[in-house]
Structures are given as C-alpha cells and as structure tokens.
C-alpha cells in the first residue's frame, strides 16, 4: 500500500513544476543559457533546442494582472491574451522577466496586435502562421521556421546547423512518445488516475527545462501508476469525458474539477494543453529538416485554421480509443474561432459519434464555479 501514499506526492511534484521553475530559470540565466518565452504549440521547439536554448510558456491563466492589462487592451478581449500581456507589463512573471526573446505566432488577431505592445517591454519575434493547411501554407511556414532560425542566430550570435536540428528532432520525438505512453494510461477502464492528476503532469512537463530528462521521469511515473493499478483499482467506473477547445490551465482547471466533483472522470485532453501538439511526430527520415518541422507543426488542428479537418480527425480517434461517453468543449470568452467552431464540433460529436456534447464558455475568474457545477451535474446525470 506504500504506492498509494507516494503517488499523490508525485503528481503534486509535477504541479509544483511551474513554481520550482522560477528558480531553475534564474539558474539558467546565471549560466548564460538563452531563455526563449513562447505562447503557442506552433512554436518549433527543435530550433531553439538545437542552439542549446531553453524555452518556457508565457501563456498566463490567472486574472491577477488583467485589470492592469485592461488599461491598454479592450475589456472584451480573450482573458489569456490580457493575462499574458498583464504579466509582461507588470513584471510579475519571472519567466517573462528572464526571457531574452519572446516568440509569438499570428494565431489570432488579438494576439498579433498584443505583440505590438509587448515589444515595448521585450524583444519580440513574430512568426507569420498561415491560416490554411495547404501546399502554399506549408511553403510559407517552412520559410518562417528558417527565418526564426536566422533571427536566433543573429540575436544570440550562434550558428544552428541542420545536424543540430536533427538531433533536437530526435529528443523532442522521444519526449512526445513518453508523454503519449503516459497519458494513454487513461485508456484503462476504470481509470488509474484522475484527469486532475493527469493534467498536472501535462502542464508540469512544459516547465521542465531539461527536455532530455523528461522521458525517464515520465516512464518512472508510468510504472508507478501501473504498479498501483495492479494492486488495487482505486477509482470506480464513471462516465468518461474528453475535453477539447481552448488551452486550459491555472484558473480554468475549475472545469476539470467541476466534471470530476460531479461524478465523471476526464480521460483525455484534445486541446493544446494536451494531445493536440503531441500526437504527431516529426519525420526523422526527411532529409529536409525544415520541411519536416513545417509538416509536423502545421498539421496541428487549431481553430485558427480554415478549414480545420485535423481537429476532427484527432477527436474521432480519441473518442474511440478512450471509450468516451461525452465531450466538453471549453471556450475562453471572446475566443471567436473556437466559439464559432463549436457548431461543427457539436454536429460531429452528436451526429457522427452519437455522443453527448456540451460547450462551456468561461474566463479566469471564480465567479462561474457554482454555475459550472450545476451544469456539469446535469450533464453527467444525463450520461
């Protein structure tokens, strides 16, 4: 029974990764290792890894700095954009403070305009993301990855070779495979862990600066979770929920909690906090490393793409693989592309997969927790 006392502590260790990462970020700066702040899963991390730089997510998920952000930005703007900008403006985020360069992508109008103001605080490089997954879009994205490489070389006075990028591709693919192997434990029924604990690991690994150490840590955790599962089925069978939609974390973890407090369990995260950026590998056999990176990253099924068939493809596979009973689509207030796309996702889930669907529009406040619990209780009861 010793494992039962060990496992919660291990999940908490991943949950603490962001806070512990503040000290790690300072250590990185003390060693003169470049730190690059990023906002999106479209950022090709292999290019930064190839030059020995560390990367960290700057997407904020707290309403702490939103009032300060609203002095410059519209109130009716996505809370993620306002929060991220607010932490940069107020210097309340150590990751932003220690970042030598900020890299953004033109995923949405709000972000790309926000970057213009962000440049007042830090050097910012913006990658022009195509909004269509086409041959022309692929050419544009490949050129943008090359332009990013050239910017990094100039900014940090380094040379990034194609061989270094190939090595970085292998490292990131190993990380993705280890992550998939871990979160696929939730295919088991009953589940071996709650969605809340799974999410701590998904988020926690994004604040691990030593990317090469991640596979070993995840494999060790996977073995411990399986060992406990063989001893005792800790959780009973419950309705199985997949979360899709906008990125979640921090304040929006209230959605996961509301689902699991009301009798269901979250078994899968399709959004970019989960499987969206991890499911596909970079082709290690492609001699053109920039084309290989462009193909992998442009295939991400984000609602900023028009049309967006890859999101449906991923959802179709995950609903089957994880034996999903219902889908919850999380929409951040004023995220227009994901909000508009709820209709097509609802049609797919209800009509094609014959599963229950619910969309939830929320922000980073705690004001809607009561309403969330009421809605989730009714949704789970229906299942």
């Amino acid at each position: 029974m010793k494992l039962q006392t060990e496992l919660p502590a291990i999940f908490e260790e991943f949950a603490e990764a962001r806070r512990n990462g503040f000290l790690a970020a300072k250590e990185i700066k003390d060693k003169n290792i470049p730190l690059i702040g990023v906002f999106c899963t479209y950022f090709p991390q292999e290019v930064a890894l190839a030059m020995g730089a560390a990367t960290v997510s700057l997407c904020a998920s707290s309403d702490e700095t939103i009032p300060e952000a609203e002095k410059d930005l519209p109130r009716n703007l996505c809370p993620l954009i306002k929060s991220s900008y607010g932490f940069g403006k107020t210097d309340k985020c150590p990751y932003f403070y220690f970042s030598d360069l900020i890299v953004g992508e033109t995923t949405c109008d709000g972000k790309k305009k926000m970057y213009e103001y962000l440049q007042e605080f830090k050097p910012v490089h913006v990658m022009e993301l195509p909004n269509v997954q086409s041959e022309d879009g692929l050419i544009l994205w490949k050129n943008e990855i090359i332009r990013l490489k050239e910017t990094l070389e100039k900014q940090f006075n380094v040379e990034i070779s194609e061989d270094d990028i190939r090595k970085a591709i292998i490292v990131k693919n190993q990380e993705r495979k280890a992550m998939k192997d871990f979160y696929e434990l939730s295919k088991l029924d009953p589940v071996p862990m709650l969605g809340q604990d799974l999410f701590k690991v998904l988020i926690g690994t994004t604040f691990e600066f030593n990317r090469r150490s991640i596979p070993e840590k995840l494999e060790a955790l996977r073995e411990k979770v399986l060992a406990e599962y063989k001893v005792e089925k800790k959780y009973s069978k419950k309705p199985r929920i997949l979360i899709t939609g906008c990125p979640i974390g921090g304040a929006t973890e209230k959605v996961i909690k509301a689902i699991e407090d009301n009798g269901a369990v979250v078994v899968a995260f399709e959004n970019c906090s989960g499987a969206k950026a991890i499911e596909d590998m970079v082709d290690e056999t492609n001699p053109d490393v920039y084309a290989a990176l462009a193909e992998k990253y442009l295939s991400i099924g984000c609602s900023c793409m028009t049309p967006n068939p890859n999101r449906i493809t991923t959802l179709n596979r995950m609903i089957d693989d994880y034996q999903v009973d219902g889908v919850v689509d999380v929409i951040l207030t004023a995220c227009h592309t994901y909000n508009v796309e709820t209709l097509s996702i609802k049609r797919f889930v209800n009509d094609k997969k014959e599963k229950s669907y619910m969309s939830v529009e929320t922000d980073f406040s705690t004001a809607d927790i009561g309403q969330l619990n009421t809605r989730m209780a009714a949704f789970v009861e229906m299942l």
Side-chain angles (χ1 to χ4, degrees), residues 5 210 230 232:
T5 59
N210 182 0
K230 290 175 181 177
E232 179 188 6

Side-chain angles (χ1 to χ4, degrees), residues 126-137:
V126 179
M127 301 181 72
E128 185 182 347
L129 181 72
N131 58 15
V132 179
Q133 293 161 329
S134 62
E135 286 302 315
D136 287 341

